[in-house]
Amino acid sequence: MKRLPAGIISTLLSLTMTLTPCSMSALAAQENSRDFSLFFSGPGVAALSSGDEYSEYQWALNNTGRLRRTEKVLNIKTLDHIYLHYGENGIDDIALPPLGPDNFESINTDAVANIDINIEDAWKTYSETENKRTVTVAIIDTGIDTTHSDLKDSIWVNEDEIPGDSIDNDGNGYVDDVNGWNFVSNSNEICTGEEDSHGTHGAGTIAAAWNNGDTVLINIGGHIVGSSLGGIAGITDSTHVKLMVLKALGGSEGKGSPESVIEAIKYAEANGADICNLSFGSSNCTPEFEAAIRDSKMLFVVAAGNGNQYQIGYDIDKSPVYPASLPYDNVITVGNLLFNGHLDESSNYGATSVDLAAPGTYILSTIPGDSYAYMSGTSMAAPMVTGAAALIYSARTDLSLQDIKTAILSTVHKLAPLKGKTATGGMLDVSAAIKWTKN
């Protein structure tokens, strides 16, 4: 008889079969820690080489309705018996009989066509705009692989620093901070390898190169499913939008201290960043961190969080997560939308704290080593809105950053399942937002 800790039974009851057989490692806000944790699951796909047309697999950009999620769920009724052991605090051990295929049933979730961010018309509008603004997006996260073929031309460059001379040329206190800084190790090493998958993935969603391409094979879970011009399409134009790499989280669990994040925020603002992506959170918030957000002139786009330890989303109006629950005008908080128009089960929600939803489940993007992977979580949803904000801010030189927030939130695509779960009751609609008219 198989014996399991009591906590694992909830996972068995809602086991999700992802696109690959990889292990999932979703991180929720830690109740007893002041550190920030990432909000994601994955990586889930190891793809080969690089290029530019994995966009067929980017349902967030163009949802044709042909996707399906299959969950294998344990059917309790098929079990002969379950042994429960009670301890001081209730059930502390569960024993199940041997499990076989007949003990599980499949539950399918089908995509709904056009549940996407409506990007194509926005790209047309953007391409027809003559005078574009240069925009700097700070990504405070793990590091980013700046050598990735889909990202190498999207990276911000500190023009006042001479690479590799070991001198602080611009006198800002950071030696050779050519593309950003590592606030974990206090160095200019902004990518250390696999632990920087999370930040690299978000970077690709925001600004992976448009229309670059070598022919590659696409490898999903060890199965070659087709070939195309490789690579993905970022939401915004890497010619006018550049990514500032600020590594403030790291290690195997992707954690970072409030002090590191605060220093990264101050660096970003001092070096001209306009928009800042924060795909992490904590149930605790220091006054210093709150002040750093509140007093900044940047627009922050933040992840709502991935629920509790069982990846079940909860109301962050009642149980706050930070920075998602901060009430400031320069914060946009984003929930994770599944491809059927509902919030993913893991996504936090809040009729006040969560502004809108954006695609965040099975999102294909860049990871270190010139590769690509599917990841899921509000960490993947926030960069969708960050990319949209940067695209619009670049094209609409008549708008302020506060106007950009208003444009995005006032033009959402309303969805019934989001009513009462988000402040706007809708999902990101980039084409509507870029055409927004200021009264």
Side-chain angles (χ1 to χ4, degrees):
M1 181 173 286
K2 182 182 293 185
R3 302 184 65 82
L4 299 169
I8 295 180
I9 190 68
S10 294
T11 303
L12 282 173
L13 291 173
S14 60
L15 180 64
T16 299
M17 299 293 288
T18 62
L19 296 178
T20 72
C22 72
S23 61
M24 303 296 283
S25 58
L27 300 179
Q30 303 297 307
E31 293 187 4
N32 298 317
S33 173
R34 65 193 293 274
D35 288 345
F36 292 108
S37 297
L38 303 172
F39 292 137
F40 79 110
S41 299
V45 171
L48 305 178
S49 188
S50 65
D52 183 47
E53 261 281 327
Y54 286 171
S55 53
E56 178 183 353
Y57 297 89
Q58 293 181 268
W59 70 265
L61 307 186
N62 181 26
N63 187 350
T64 62
R66 295 189 297 172
L67 295 173
R68 167 176 286 180
R69 182 179 70 176
T70 299
E71 298 172 288
K72 294 293 185 181
V73 179
L74 180 64
N75 185 345
I76 296 292
K77 295 179 181 179
T78 65
L79 302 180
D80 293 332
H81 54 275
I82 300 177
Y83 170 76
L84 303 179
H85 181 271
Y86 292 86
E88 293 181 1
N89 299 315
I91 298 173
D92 63 6
D93 196 30
I94 298 173
L96 299 178
L99 301 178
D102 293 340
N103 297 120
F104 294 86
E105 59 184 1
S106 296
I107 298 179
N108 295 323
T109 302
D110 291 320
V112 175
N114 301 318
I115 297 296
D116 56 47
I117 65 172
N118 193 19
I119 191 66
E120 292 188 41
D121 195 37
W123 282 341
K124 183 174 183 293
T125 300
Y126 183 85
S127 67
E128 294 171 350
T129 302
E130 292 185 1
N131 298 314
K132 299 181 179 70
R133 172 165 38 196
T134 298
V135 179
T136 300
V137 175
I139 301 181
I140 302 178
D141 206 290
T142 67
I144 295 172
D145 182 0
T146 59
T147 65
H148 197 294
S149 57
D150 248 338
L151 295 175
K152 59 184 177 63
D153 295 325
S154 307
I155 306 301
W156 170 80
V157 175
N158 181 357
E159 300 290 352
D160 295 326
E161 198 74 17
I162 299 173
D165 68 352
S166 299
I167 298 173
D168 181 15
N169 304 104
D170 57 4
N172 68 352
Y174 303 93
V175 176
D176 287 343
D177 57 323
V178 178
N179 303 125
W181 193 253
N182 183 335
F183 296 92
V184 177
S185 64
N186 193 31
S187 71
N188 67 348
E189 186 182 18
I190 53 179
C191 183
T192 58
E194 187 177 350
E195 75 171 51
D196 297 314
S197 294
H198 188 272
T200 304
H201 195 277
T205 296
I206 296 168
W210 291 349
N211 302 319
N212 65 312
D214 296 319
T215 302
V216 301
L217 296 179
I218 302 171
N219 180 335
I220 299 182
H223 302 284
I224 302 299
V225 297
S227 63
S228 71
L229 290 177
I232 62 164
I235 292 171
T236 193
D237 174 19
S238 59
T239 301
H240 294 90
V241 177
K242 299 299 180 182
L243 307 179
M244 183 184 293
V245 187
L246 303 177
K247 179 179 170 69
L249 296 92
S252 60
E253 294 185 338
K255 290 180 180 277
S257 70
E259 291 77 15
S260 293
V261 175
I262 291 168
E263 189 177 355
I265 291 172
K266 292 179 178 179
Y267 178 99
E269 189 146 28
N271 287 276
D274 304 291
I275 301 167
C276 184
N277 189 89
L278 303 178
S279 286
F280 55 78
S282 171
S283 60
N284 297 301
C285 183
T286 67
E288 295 80 8
F289 174 73
E290 186 173 349
I293 298 281
R294 182 194 63 218
D295 299 338
S296 175
K297 295 179 182 179
M298 293 187 292
L299 176 64
F300 293 88
V301 182
V302 307
N306 292 353
N308 59 24
Q309 65 267 40
Y310 303 120
Q311 299 179 51
I312 304 299
Y314 56 83
D315 188 344
I316 63 172
D317 290 344
K318 299 177 180 178
S319 301
V321 170
Y322 302 100
S325 298
L326 292 176
Y328 303 125
D329 290 340
N330 61 344
V331 175
I332 300 175
T333 297
V334 189
N336 171 10
L337 191 77
L338 190 57
F339 45 60
N340 65 350
H342 292 253
L343 282 180
D344 188 86
E345 297 91 338
S346 68
S347 179
N348 288 343
Y349 54 90
T352 300
S353 297
V354 180
D355 293 297
L356 78 167
T361 298
Y362 303 141
I363 303 302
L364 182 63
S365 190
T366 48
I367 59 171
D370 226 19
S371 293
Y372 302 85
Y374 284 97
M375 291 187 187
S376 295
T378 55
S379 279
M380 285 65 250
M384 295 278 173
V385 177
T386 298
L391 182 81
I392 299 165
Y393 193 52
S394 177
R396 295 292 303 274
T397 57
D398 58 316
L399 301 182
S400 67
L401 286 171
Q402 189 59 51
D403 291 334
I404 298 302
K405 177 178 178 177
T406 302
I408 289 172
L409 298 189
S410 63
T411 59
V412 295
H413 175 188
K414 300 282 187 178
L415 296 171
L418 300 182
K419 184 177 182 180
K421 298 287 188 179
T422 67
T424 61
M427 69 170 293
L428 177 66
D429 185 331
V430 189
S431 292
I434 202 170
K435 297 174 183 176
W436 175 76
T437 301
K438 185 177 181 178
N439 294 327

